[in-house]
Amino acid sequence: MQIILCDTAAEVGVRAADIIEARVRQGPAVLGLATGGSPESTYQELIRRHREQGLSFADVTAFTLDEYAGLAADHEQSYCSTIRRELVDHVDLPLDQLHTPRGDAADLVAEADRFDASIAAAGGVDVQILGIGANGHIGFNEPTSSLSSRTRVKTLAGKTRADNAGYFAEGQVPRLCLTQGLGNIGEARRAVLVALGKNKAAAVRSMVEGPVSAWCPASVLQLHRRAVVVLDPGAASELALLDYYREAQDLNDQLA
Ligand code: PGA
């Protein structure tokens, strides 16, 4: 696992955007897109590069990670609407190349299988962007998720529902979701996880330095061949081997 330590959220966005841009400029690319606060600075930086440096997403196919069950794609709080607001509507990624699980599908189990198949049909994900929940989840793979799980219906953890309560009217936070599984995430050719703030520090420590365990779903990235974790000082603050990561980063930057 490669750890990149940054001074600010903006710098996290720049370092993550560098990895994404490098792949997008190589030719047709499949991106896995996370929603939420964590990738915001990354998406802002990609939008800036689109506007100012001609970075084009015309040949990008994108798959989001997850969706609330019961919400139509055009619901304000759906992750389909969210990713459009945060990134897609500000770049030249054609809407018919954006794939999101349908939270309002009549048959959610069939919808999960359909979504999984559409990722496979696109040839798999080249770069998967990830955030991490304070409880260690990635996507909506809550603690005790199978480490080889596929896209499926999941019950949201109480902590996740509490963390997202601010986006919904009282009592309206969905209880179920569709999420890509930890197996899907593991198959992405590159994984880039961004984390910001002290409230993610314990989860980041478990992910990077704890045992591989379904108790911290993000720890499955220890098994990934090309995982990069980009952190601000708060998110990095509980890591035991900070000095080692810093030294490795300096050497890597010199080699680049
Ligand atoms: P956040 O959520 O990026 O909004 O902090 C991350 C997550 O819960 O996966």
Side-chain angles (χ1 to χ4, degrees):
M1 203 181 277
Q2 183 187 351
I3 311 296
I4 299 180
L5 303 169
C6 300
D7 291 330
T8 62
E11 191 187 340
V12 168
V14 167
R15 297 294 295 239
D18 285 348
I19 298 167
I20 297 158
E21 172 168 4
R23 180 59 192 85
V24 168
R25 287 206 187 267
Q26 275 174 16
V30 179
L31 297 183
L33 301 177
T35 42
S38 308
E40 221 167 78
S41 64
T42 304
Y43 295 154
Q44 288 295 323
E45 179 62 16
L46 290 173
I47 292 165
R48 189 191 69 73
R49 292 180 191 193
H50 168 69
R51 290 187 178 144
E52 296 175 13
Q53 297 167 5
L55 177 63
S56 174
F57 294 80
D59 288 333
V60 168
T61 300
F63 291 89
T64 52
L65 273 174
D66 44 17
E67 184 59 278
Y68 292 111
L71 299 197
D74 62 358
H75 187 287
E76 197 190 350
Q77 293 309 332
S78 77
Y79 281 172
C80 179
S81 297
T82 303
I83 199 63
R84 288 189 57 176
R85 264 196 313 274
E86 290 177 346
L87 176 68
V88 174
D89 287 352
H90 307 284
V91 296
D92 59 344
L93 198 159
L95 270 186
D96 61 357
Q97 290 166 214
L98 170 66
H99 302 273
T100 64
R102 297 296 307 250
D104 61 346
D107 182 341
L108 288 174
V109 174
E111 172 61 8
D113 290 345
R114 182 199 68 77
F115 193 70
D116 231 43
S118 65
I119 298 171
V125 171
D126 291 309
V127 183
Q128 175 65 58
I129 301 140
L130 297 162
I132 183 171
N135 68 355
H137 75 199
I138 47 177
F140 273 141
N141 295 281
E142 304 288 23
T144 71
S145 287
S146 159
L147 296 180
S148 56
S149 48
R150 314 299 310 176
T151 307
R152 68 211 183 288
V153 181
K154 279 293 284 183
T155 302
L156 293 168
K159 169 78 178 139
T160 302
R161 296 182 70 230
D163 286 348
N164 292 332
Y167 298 110
F168 292 91
E170 177 90 25
Q172 299 295 305
V173 190
R175 308 189 75 90
L176 293 173
C177 66
L178 287 168
T179 183
Q180 287 191 45
L182 296 173
N184 298 93
I185 292 168
E187 287 165 11
R189 286 179 274 281
R190 193 125 203 229
V192 181
L193 184 143
V194 288
L196 305 172
K198 254 189 141 2
N199 71 324
K200 301 294 175 69
V204 166
R205 178 168 188 182
S206 298
M207 166 178 69
V208 177
E209 298 175 338
V212 175
S213 162
W215 191 242
C216 176
S219 66
V220 77
L221 293 178
Q222 292 180 31
L223 300 173
H224 198 284
R225 275 175 289 186
R226 294 188 81 199
V228 183
V229 173
V230 192
L231 304 171
D232 78 349
S237 60
E238 291 190 25
L239 289 171
L241 297 184
L242 262 185
D243 290 345
Y244 172 69
Y245 307 137
R246 217 178 291 284
E247 184 185 352
Q249 180 176 341
D250 288 346
L251 292 172
N252 269 329
D253 285 349
Q254 282 169 30
L255 289 174

